[in-house]
Amino acid sequence: MEGLHIFGLSHAYGDNQVLDNVGLMIPSGELVCMLGPSGCGKSTLLRLAAGLEKVQKGAITIDNVTVSTPEMHVHPEQRRIGLMFQDYALFPHLNILDNVTFGLLDRTAEQSRARAMDMLEQVSMASKAGNFPHMLSGGQQQRVALARALAPEPKLLLLDEPFSGLDTNMRQSIREETLTVLKHSGVATLMVTHDPEEAMFMADRIKIIGADGTILQAGRPHEIYYHPNHEFVAKLFGMMNRFEGTVAGGRVETPLGSVATDLEDGLAVQVLIRPEGIILETDGTGQDKIGGALVEVTSSHLLGHDNIIRVRLKSGGHDELYVRVHHTFEVELKKDISATVDEEYAFVFS
Ligand SMILES: Nc1ncnc2c1ncn2[C@@H]1O[C@H](COP(=O)(O)OP(=O)(O)OP(=O)(O)O)[C@@H](O)[C@H]1O
Ligand SMILES: [Mg+2]
């Protein structure tokens, strides 16, 4: 298979076992995002793929060529990889064009220049070719860094938190541009991010690494969001509402209705419900819904597209619930509202 292939990689720094039997496959043209807590070994994995670190156990191939095993090690310059790390440092003493031509060693000066200008055009920075890095904004520098990484036509692009230095608006537009350029280039990309929404937006597939350095779940963004197979994965995307219960007849009762599960009867479980998985309804009469509960609103905050509403069960006995509803939902403090669970956003873990 063309692209990146990692087999059974384990890595330790002294007694600190950082990666434990990690496998990964990225075909050309695909973007895989790696998410995980700080210190779980994400950058270590990128450094191993880049050849900046020697492999202790396992193997790495790029376009079917073995580049790392404990016995052999191809140098980073010979791996046909593009690197972009958080501090995408451009060379301050070189202008933008020279920054991008820097890695184009095997071409004539004319070919290098043409290739660099083509890449600068793709990231809308051709007009700045003669400028120096300090004359560019953070987002512009980031785009030049992307052009520099892709100019030598790498087979594999390794991105370590590439957008973390940018503000929210800039991040969003750079993400979109980067994605367009990457899809156009057909390179295999492995990107590390702390931001689950960024991973959802960018990735064809997401790998989630746990604190112990093992892969907790891997799948398409939709699967990760709607079918998390681990409590940690479910909680990645922010605040969850939590109930405790016992499995009976393949279901767990919560005050907001019951939720299906494959777990065995009699097992004590927790039910985690996403904020958008609680349906609020004002039916005028304040009547309880079948399987739902009466709640009262304690606070409401408009976020823009959504409202974040806190509600309290009228029956008491539980913390406030955290609900996300469309901004058109009219909140009426004090009025009786019913809440039910939408099973699609509810997950049961033992
Ligand atoms: N060169 C090194 N020597 C010794 N320990 C190291 C070295 N590099 C990393 N570590 C340790 O390995 C573990 C994983 O580090 P790594 O940089 O891969 O984490 P990360 O997942 O990228 O974290 P973050 O999200 O904070 O960037 C950490 O405990 C770190 O202290
Ligand atoms: Mg890191």
Side-chain angles (χ1 to χ4, degrees):
M1 183 206 71
E2 302 230 308
L4 173 69
H5 214 145
I6 289 177
F7 305 87
L9 209 58
S10 296
H11 201 81
Y13 294 105
D15 296 341
N16 183 7
Q17 186 70 38
V18 178
L19 294 171
D20 187 10
N21 194 25
V22 169
L24 181 72
M25 199 173 86
I26 312 178
S28 301
E30 250 197 45
L31 191 154
V32 170
C33 276
M34 223 175 2
L35 268 172
S38 185
C40 74
K42 303 180 297 294
S43 297
T44 301
L45 186 69
L46 284 194
R47 286 205 305 276
L48 285 160
L52 299 170
E53 194 91 50
K54 291 210 166 137
V55 163
Q56 296 166 354
K57 186 159 176 255
I60 302 173
T61 70
I62 299 174
D63 276 11
N64 300 313
V65 175
T66 302
V67 291
S68 285
T69 68
E71 290 78 36
M72 67 93 70
H73 179 85
V74 174
H75 285 285
E77 314 83 67
Q78 283 146 17
R79 292 190 178 206
R80 303 275 318 262
I81 46 168
L83 293 175
M84 214 162 101
F85 289 163
Q86 187 173 349
D87 51 348
Y88 38 79
L90 301 174
F91 305 115
H93 58 289
L94 295 181
N95 72 19
I96 297 310
L97 181 64
D98 292 341
N99 261 279
V100 180
T101 53
F102 187 83
L104 302 174
L105 303 172
D106 52 351
R107 307 173 197 227
T108 66
E110 201 176 328
Q111 285 169 337
S112 298
R113 189 177 183 287
R115 171 70 186 156
M117 286 309 292
D118 178 33
M119 282 316 303
L120 285 172
E121 245 150 56
Q122 284 193 42
V123 298
S124 315
M125 290 299 294
S127 64
K128 307 277 186 196
N131 288 14
F132 282 84
H134 72 269
M135 300 156 83
L136 268 47
S137 73
Q140 290 171 330
Q141 291 185 37
Q142 208 277 343
R143 284 189 234 157
V144 174
L146 178 65
R148 182 176 65 177
L150 288 174
E153 298 177 81
K155 303 202 173 285
L156 172 66
L157 187 64
L158 300 168
L159 308 176
D160 198 350
E161 310 246 4
F163 312 120
S164 56
L166 305 173
D167 72 38
T168 316
N169 285 333
M170 183 60 96
R171 277 178 90 139
Q172 187 53 31
S173 62
I174 296 274
R175 271 178 207 159
E176 287 183 29
E177 271 185 40
T178 302
L179 210 48
T180 309
V181 175
L182 289 183
K183 289 296 163 189
H184 180 71
S185 75
V187 68
T189 306
L190 177 57
M191 173 170 143
V192 165
T193 171
H194 264 111
D195 178 348
E197 285 179 9
E198 182 163 285
M200 294 285 285
F201 180 84
M202 301 280 293
D204 294 303
R205 288 180 296 125
I206 299 176
K207 289 253 175 188
I208 297 175
I209 303 193
D212 60 354
T214 57
I215 290 180
L216 294 179
Q217 188 170 358
R220 304 210 168 262
H222 185 277
E223 273 174 79
I224 300 284
Y225 195 80
Y226 288 100
H227 305 286
N229 62 10
H230 195 283
E231 186 186 337
F232 175 82
V233 178
K235 287 179 174 168
L236 269 179
F237 297 91
M239 197 51 203
M240 296 289 264
N241 297 290
R242 183 174 182 276
F243 293 98
E244 287 176 358
T246 308
V247 183
R251 300 192 73 83
V252 191
E253 284 298 332
T254 80
L256 310 183
S258 72
V259 175
T261 174
D262 297 337
L263 295 172
E264 66 194 71
D265 277 15
L267 200 64
V269 292
Q270 54 170 336
V271 180
L272 299 179
I273 306 173
R274 292 206 191 285
E276 61 269 42
I278 296 179
I279 302 162
L280 298 183
E281 274 167 298
T282 50
D283 55 13
T285 63
Q287 286 297 304
D288 198 347
K289 304 241 328 173
I290 299 166
L294 284 181
V295 295
E296 81 193 341
V297 171
T298 53
S299 73
S300 166
H301 297 276
L302 182 62
L303 290 187
H305 184 264
D306 292 335
N307 265 346
I308 290 296
I309 298 179
R310 286 178 193 275
V311 302
R312 190 164 45 218
L313 291 175
K314 285 213 132 181
S315 60
H318 195 274
D319 297 337
E320 280 186 336
L321 301 174
Y322 191 76
V323 189
R324 184 185 276 268
V325 295
H326 195 253
H327 67 94
T328 52
F329 181 83
E330 296 228 16
V331 189
E332 292 178 62
L333 294 175
K334 305 287 179 220
K335 192 172 161 192
D336 280 349
I337 293 175
S338 67
T340 43
V341 58
D342 177 351
E343 279 194 63
E344 202 178 4
Y345 300 94
F347 315 108
V348 181
F349 299 105
S350 57

